[in-house]
Amino acid sequence: MEVLYIDKNLISGDIPDCWNHWQGLNLLNLGSNNLTVKIPPSLWHLNLTILNLRNNTMFGEFPSTMQNFLDLIMIDLSENHFSRSVPAWIGDKLSNLVILSLRSNNFDGHIPHKICDLQFLQNLDLAHNNISGVIPKCFNNLSAMATTIKINNFVLAKYVDAGLVFLNALLVLKGREDEYWSSLGLVTSMDISANSLTGEIPKEIGSLVGLLSLNFSGNLLTGNIPDNIGNMELMESLDDLSMNQLNGEIPQSFSNLNFLNHFNVSYNNLTGQIPTSTQLQSFENLSYVGNHLCRPPLTKNCTSKGIPIDVANNGSSREGSKVNWLYVSIVLGFVMGFWGVVAPLFFIRSWRLAYYRKLDHVGRKLYVSWATMDM
């Protein structure tokens, strides 16, 4: 037997440790069950091409014995409870990988730079984990994502051409989860959303001109959006750059993204004008909220300097507030000084008498002085 698909059932408990009797097995799909505990040792004696264990309740580290699967083109361990860091040896030992999905687990640590050595990798999904650190600049070495020639990856092609309709994958693109079959080799995507990644988006990402979908949302990314992302003209889903700490303007080069049908930059610190293009003006306001942006599709207009009018007004209001406080401080100073002198004279009789005596004394001296001068 070469193919075993028993996904989407109600199988529970442990995976039996008897796989050494299935040496001819190439494709194994146990996804969407309720399997628990760690992966049994005998499974690693197989020469699998596709391993799908998604949507179970498995736990433990990324299995080190998976290094034996030299022909693996697809690993899907998503929606489990695997933990610890993503191992660096993936880039060395699993060099034929086309699809790597570790979505919705408990992986932590950094993204290993060795992943950049996977020249056939077309779909990378590390979303919804606890991964930290920066986005590797070496992502531009992922050559299958850096080409605009959309033909089936030759690693996948032999299975498609052989009529193996079992070759499929669930991918999260454009904000939804879809199942891909014969078109799988035409899809390229990267999703590292909902982690704790920091730093700036490296400009090297702009080299991945073959990507159809890119999602960096829900991290702690800072700095400006690289201008050369606008060179990724095949992009259909820039979903998203939202819920980060990005600043600056939306690059004018984004007007080149003519195939975009999903876009979100909400809840950052972006400012300025939304570039004019057929696509960018077609999205709802929700794609832009939580920033200081202006021009359609938003109803906010811009000043001649490209600043949203409400932001400019706020600035003017703040300046006005400073002037008002200046006047208030002058008045307060006068009142406090005046009443500091007058109030004691008004309420304290001895001070009042002394004050008038002093005035009388000064007046007499002045009168004598004037009279002497006249004589």
Side-chain angles (χ1 to χ4, degrees):
M1 182 182 292
E2 295 185 8
V3 177
L4 179 60
Y5 267 53
I6 49 175
D7 61 323
K8 301 176 184 176
N9 285 286
L10 299 175
I11 303 172
S12 60
D14 302 347
I15 299 176
D17 192 11
C18 59
W19 298 97
N20 50 349
H21 301 297
W22 297 62
Q23 294 300 316
L25 194 64
N26 286 322
L27 282 69
L28 176 61
N29 188 341
L30 302 176
S32 298
N33 285 290
N34 192 28
L35 297 169
T36 58
V37 193
K38 296 181 179 181
I39 300 172
S42 63
L43 188 63
W44 309 124
H45 295 295
L46 304 178
N47 189 26
L48 291 176
T49 303
I50 292 176
L51 176 62
N52 188 339
L53 299 175
R54 71 175 292 131
N55 193 21
N56 282 285
T57 53
M58 309 188 74
F59 61 89
E61 299 181 38
F62 193 101
S64 61
T65 46
M66 199 176 287
Q67 299 180 65
N68 300 327
F69 293 169
L70 302 181
D71 294 328
L72 265 181
I73 62 172
M74 172 180 163
I75 301 173
D76 191 346
L77 303 182
S78 59
E79 298 179 54
N80 280 286
H81 303 291
F82 291 106
S83 58
R84 305 294 293 274
S85 58
V86 179
W89 53 256
I90 287 180
D92 290 325
K93 302 295 184 180
L94 307 180
S95 57
N96 288 321
L97 272 182
V98 177
I99 299 170
L100 176 60
S101 181
L102 306 179
R103 182 185 190 89
S104 298
N105 278 283
N106 298 313
F107 289 111
D108 54 24
H110 297 177
I111 299 175
H113 284 66
K114 279 293 185 179
I115 281 185
C116 301
D117 295 336
L118 298 173
Q119 59 176 322
F120 301 119
L121 190 65
Q122 292 184 194
N123 298 279
L124 174 63
D125 192 346
L126 304 177
H128 293 273
N129 281 285
N130 302 312
I131 298 172
S132 58
V134 299
I135 300 173
K137 294 182 178 181
C138 64
F139 270 172
N140 62 335
N141 294 330
L142 296 170
S143 52
M145 297 182 183
T147 177
T148 58
I149 302 173
K150 289 298 170 184
I151 58 174
N152 273 314
N153 185 307
F154 82 88
V155 176
L156 291 175
K158 60 182 179 180
Y159 296 98
V160 175
D161 294 341
L164 290 178
V165 296
F166 306 103
L167 186 59
N168 70 312
L170 276 170
L171 302 177
V172 179
L173 306 177
K174 305 176 187 178
R176 65 177 187 268
E177 185 178 74
D178 291 313
E179 196 163 17
Y180 291 81
W181 296 80
S182 59
S183 62
L184 187 56
L186 304 175
V187 181
T188 49
S189 67
M190 179 183 293
D191 191 345
I192 52 177
S193 62
N195 282 287
S196 299
L197 295 168
T198 56
E200 299 185 357
I201 299 174
K203 66 180 186 300
E204 287 78 5
I205 290 294
S207 301
L208 304 180
V209 294
L211 275 180
L212 300 183
S213 178
L214 179 65
N215 193 341
F216 287 168
S217 67
N219 283 288
L220 302 170
L221 301 174
T222 57
N224 295 342
I225 301 173
D227 184 71
N228 61 354
I229 288 183
N231 298 333
M232 305 164 76
E233 297 184 6
L234 295 181
M235 185 79 67
E236 296 179 7
S237 174
L238 195 49
D239 172 36
D240 314 58
L241 300 175
S242 65
M243 293 182 286
N244 280 287
Q245 299 169 15
L246 301 171
N247 50 44
E249 299 184 352
I250 299 176
Q252 289 295 322
S253 61
F254 275 33
S255 58
N256 300 329
L257 303 177
N258 295 320
F259 297 103
L260 272 184
N261 53 45
H262 201 92
F263 180 72
N264 197 338
V265 291
S266 62
Y267 299 106
N268 281 286
N269 299 310
L270 300 174
T271 58
Q273 305 180 37
I274 298 172
T276 301
S277 76
T278 304
Q279 298 305 108
L280 293 179
Q281 270 66 51
S282 67
F283 300 112
E284 297 181 356
N285 291 5
L286 292 177
S287 294
Y288 300 99
V289 298
N291 292 288
H292 300 293
L293 298 168
C294 53
R295 290 182 52 173
L298 301 179
T299 56
K300 295 179 183 177
N301 293 320
C302 302
T303 66
S304 58
K305 296 181 180 180
I307 303 172
I309 287 177
D310 63 333
V311 174
N313 289 340
N314 287 340
S316 300
S317 298
R318 284 192 293 271
E319 291 178 4
S321 297
K322 292 177 184 177
V323 173
N324 291 339
W325 277 111
L326 175 63
Y327 288 131
V328 170
S329 63
I330 292 173
V331 172
L332 286 175
F334 173 77
V335 169
M336 295 298 292
F338 179 79
W339 281 104
V341 175
V342 174
L345 298 177
F346 187 80
F347 292 106
I348 305 174
R349 186 172 180 274
S350 60
W351 284 32
R352 188 165 61 251
L353 293 174
Y355 177 71
Y356 288 134
R357 286 197 203 99
K358 185 67 176 176
L359 285 179
D360 184 64
H361 178 70
V362 172
R364 289 175 182 274
K365 279 193 171 185
L366 288 174
Y367 177 75
V368 172
S369 298
W370 290 335
T372 304
M373 291 174 63
D374 290 338
M375 291 176 62

